[in-house]
Amino acid sequence: KQEVTQIPAALSVPEGENLVLNCSFTDSAIYNLQWFRQDPGKGLTSLLLIQSSQREQTSGRLNASLDKSSGRSTLYIAASQPGDSATYLCAAAPREKVTFGTGTKLQVIP
Amino acid sequence: KAGVTQTPRYLIKTRGQQVTLSCSPISGHRSVSWYQQTPGQGLQFLFEYFSETQRNKGNFPGRFSGRQFSNSRSEMNVSTLELGDSALYLCASSWPEAGGGNEQFFGPGTRLTVL
């Protein structure tokens, strides 16, 4: 059974700081790993999708990496802004069903 | 291109009642997955439909059911509501099939409150 863990559960940083969010998964037989952000009471917004054959993906200030052998993915946010404040979730997708981590709640302080 | 839409956005029901939630995927997407999100359990997979067939199912009781129509729109039904069913219900669509390397796009969710 796939288990996905995100550490830390919460993070508070000053504006402008670079930061890394971590995601660990137990079963390396995944098709992809996807990062999302969720604002309070809202749905999920897809940030980045990394296919199992890829090592990383970049979009603007975001960079996500994937290391299947170690069961890890990281989301790097450069030059954080108050608008980045949200909960960030990673999801590992094997063939059968997607398993989500519990999320990291990020607060960027102006 | 319109995103994933869910209706209604908010629902208040009482214990013992049943409820039906609707999800319209992005045009061209054939797979729809449903999730329940609660503060205590996080996001949990309910089921996935592809071309009107349920392909995968999570660990939820039989009170939770769903279906998908020929136009890929999907509904989920919860019968005999319990207080613990209060949650944000999210649906996600993908193309051409979910769980196999394709990006999922989520709707805004339906907030269900059971009194």
Side-chain angles (χ1 to χ4, degrees):
Chain A
K1 178 189 172 187
Q2 178 74 273
E3 293 183 3
V4 181
T5 305
Q6 291 188 247
I7 295 173
L11 182 63
S12 183
V13 301
E15 181 178 3
E17 193 162 296
N18 302 325
L19 57 102
V20 175
L21 307 181
N22 297 294
C23 171
S24 299
F25 48 94
T26 55
D27 186 350
S28 62
I30 60 172
Y31 275 38
N32 67 48
L33 190 133
Q34 194 168 354
W35 282 92
F36 299 87
R37 71 171 277 169
Q38 185 176 30
D39 294 286
K42 302 289 181 62
L44 277 64
T45 300
S46 178
L47 297 173
L48 290 165
L49 172 73
I50 311 175
Q51 303 288 0
S52 62
S53 59
Q54 298 174 321
R55 298 283 292 184
E56 65 179 300
Q57 281 286 336
T58 299
S59 176
R61 295 183 295 107
L62 305 179
N63 175 276
S65 67
L66 175 64
D67 184 345
K68 285 179 56 179
S69 61
S70 66
R72 291 182 181 180
S73 176
T74 61
L75 178 66
Y76 174 83
I77 302 176
S80 59
Q81 303 171 357
D84 295 331
S85 297
T87 296
Y88 290 79
L89 295 144
C90 66
R95 185 61 185 89
E96 289 75 31
K97 62 183 183 183
V98 178
T99 303
F100 279 83
T102 49
T104 294
K105 186 172 183 179
L106 172 66
Q107 182 183 25
V108 180
I109 303 167
Chain B
K1 194 180 248 189
V4 178
T5 58
Q6 292 186 246
T7 57
R9 293 293 312 280
Y10 303 91
L11 265 179
I12 299 176
K13 293 286 187 178
T14 56
R15 280 179 299 173
Q17 287 187 308
Q18 76 166 21
V19 66
T20 299
L21 312 182
S22 180
C23 173
S24 293
I26 292 171
S27 178
H29 285 195
R30 294 164 60 190
S31 174
V32 174
S33 297
W34 288 89
Y35 297 85
Q36 180 196 66
Q37 186 176 34
T38 59
Q41 299 296 320
L43 259 165
Q44 292 187 290
F45 173 78
L46 279 158
F47 27 65
E48 178 209 352
Y49 285 87
F50 177 73
S51 293
E52 303 178 64
T53 301
Q54 185 181 90
R55 291 208 303 188
N56 293 298
K57 191 176 190 303
N59 298 322
F60 279 82
R63 300 185 297 108
F64 292 81
S65 63
R67 59 178 176 168
Q68 186 179 34
F69 301 95
S70 58
N71 61 358
S72 294
R73 189 177 70 86
S74 177
E75 290 181 347
M76 67 162 283
N77 184 77
V78 187
S79 62
T80 319
L81 284 167
E82 300 176 359
L83 294 179
D85 296 333
S86 295
L88 180 66
Y89 289 88
L90 295 162
C91 85
S93 76
S94 64
W95 178 91
E97 54 186 278
N102 294 286
E103 189 172 8
Q104 289 198 90
F105 295 88
F106 280 78
T110 293
R111 171 73 64 184
L112 172 64
T113 302
V114 182
L115 302 176

